[in-house]
Amino acid sequence: MRGPCVEVRGVSKRFDGVEVLRGVSLEAEPGRVTVVAGPSGAGKTTLLRIIAGLLDPDEGDVVFDDRSVLGVPPWERRAVLLSQRPVLLPHLTVRRNIIVAGESQGLSRSEAERLADRLARRLEIAEVLDRLPSTLSGGQLQRASLAAVLAAGPRVLLLDEPFAHLDLPLREGLRRLVVEVTREEGITTIQVTHDQDEALEIADKLAVLMDGRVLGAGDPYSLYYNPPSLEVALFFGHNVACGPPFTSRGIPVSFPPEAVYLRDGDITGEVVYTAMRKHYTLVHIRIKGWTIRSVLRGVTRLSQEEINLHVDESLIKEWRGLPCPE
């Protein structure tokens, strides 16, 4: 069964007079991963809980396939929320947890057992099916939790950074599995994260949520290289400057680190810091009082030295009407 088209329409939510969500609108399609990215405190978890039916909005509507689900309980929405907290019953084995979840959706015992075996193979947890949750590693526990959630037959899968506490290789593997399962099963998946790299990696559609508002939504590539606001550019780690040599008109500009090429160019700067990552190096360069960042392929270290560089003008975006940053 494919998931519904989920629409959040002008949703607002307040807690103790503090507005956490401010007229949020969002659309998520079945078989695609919609990612809501933003800093801590942006309202991401509140948004998921409203979609799941665990909270009611103060204003606005939540619609599944053109039908409002306000007042519809979570179990009827078939919208399941998975967070960092495991969902498994601690006194049951992994196999029994998955079987119970399948039986809750009307499957016979034999059907639920076959489903448990299939999901265990798919999520690579066959070797732990007969173990209790307390004996599992963090990665095994989250895979088993995901298997139990999928056995419950969700039409909408809501992910509240469930893999954030895991090591990077485990996170990457589980993210890949979520994308594959979403597409194969036609589930409508909405994931929230504060990690820009994770958002860009897995999103079919990306929305940036800051201070309770959606500041931009759409194709991740377009949103990154053509941010709709300076706040979105800063969230993605773009360089921001005002004045020569980046602009001569006293207008703030932004551009991604990928726009800065360390090669013979007409701009001279001093390397002040290099941050080596797994597949690239982030180089910090000081130019006339501004510090900008450039990305180099591969892992290398540059000493403090003068360097010539070039900035791709097609990726420079002006922000008219805004004050120059300090």
Side-chain angles (χ1 to χ4, degrees), residues 58-213:
D58 294 321
E59 288 97 29
D61 201 356
V62 179
V63 174
F64 288 10
D65 283 341
D66 295 322
R67 172 177 170 253
S68 175
V69 293
L70 295 187
V72 177
W75 56 90
E76 290 186 18
R77 297 187 190 194
R78 304 274 293 276
V80 180
L81 176 61
L82 180 63
S83 65
Q84 294 183 28
R85 182 176 300 173
V87 300
L88 302 180
L89 298 172
H91 62 286
L92 298 181
T93 65
V94 172
R95 185 190 303 275
R96 284 291 300 143
N97 267 282
I98 300 173
I99 289 172
V100 167
E103 289 176 332
S104 72
Q105 296 304 313
L107 298 182
S108 67
R109 171 58 66 87
S110 60
E111 289 172 330
E113 289 175 345
R114 287 195 295 271
L115 177 61
D117 289 335
R118 180 171 70 84
L119 288 172
R121 290 192 299 271
R122 186 71 183 81
L123 297 176
E124 301 175 3
I125 54 169
E127 73 280 4
V128 302
L129 276 177
D130 296 315
R131 289 168 54 180
L132 292 173
S134 61
T135 69
L136 305 183
S137 68
Q140 291 168 337
L141 192 58
Q142 285 301 70
R143 287 173 185 264
S145 294
L146 182 58
V149 164
L150 293 174
R155 300 180 65 215
V156 180
L157 181 60
L158 305 169
L159 302 174
D160 189 1
E161 304 195 71
F163 316 130
H165 65 294
L166 301 178
D167 293 338
L168 181 59
L170 286 173
R171 287 204 309 271
E172 291 178 341
L174 284 167
R175 291 198 299 250
R176 173 181 53 80
L177 280 171
V178 165
V179 171
E180 292 175 357
V181 170
T182 291
R183 292 172 180 168
E184 291 171 6
E185 304 294 333
I187 300 170
T188 305
T189 298
I190 304 173
Q191 177 166 342
V192 304
T193 183
H194 66 276
D195 187 321
Q196 302 95 324
D197 291 335
E198 178 179 63
L200 292 167
E201 176 187 337
I202 67 172
D204 294 306
K205 180 179 182 179
L206 177 59
V208 176
L209 182 69
M210 300 181 72
D211 194 27
R213 294 186 175 92

Side-chain angles (χ1 to χ4, degrees), residues 18 36 169 185 235:
V18 177
V36 180
E185 304 294 333
F235 175 73

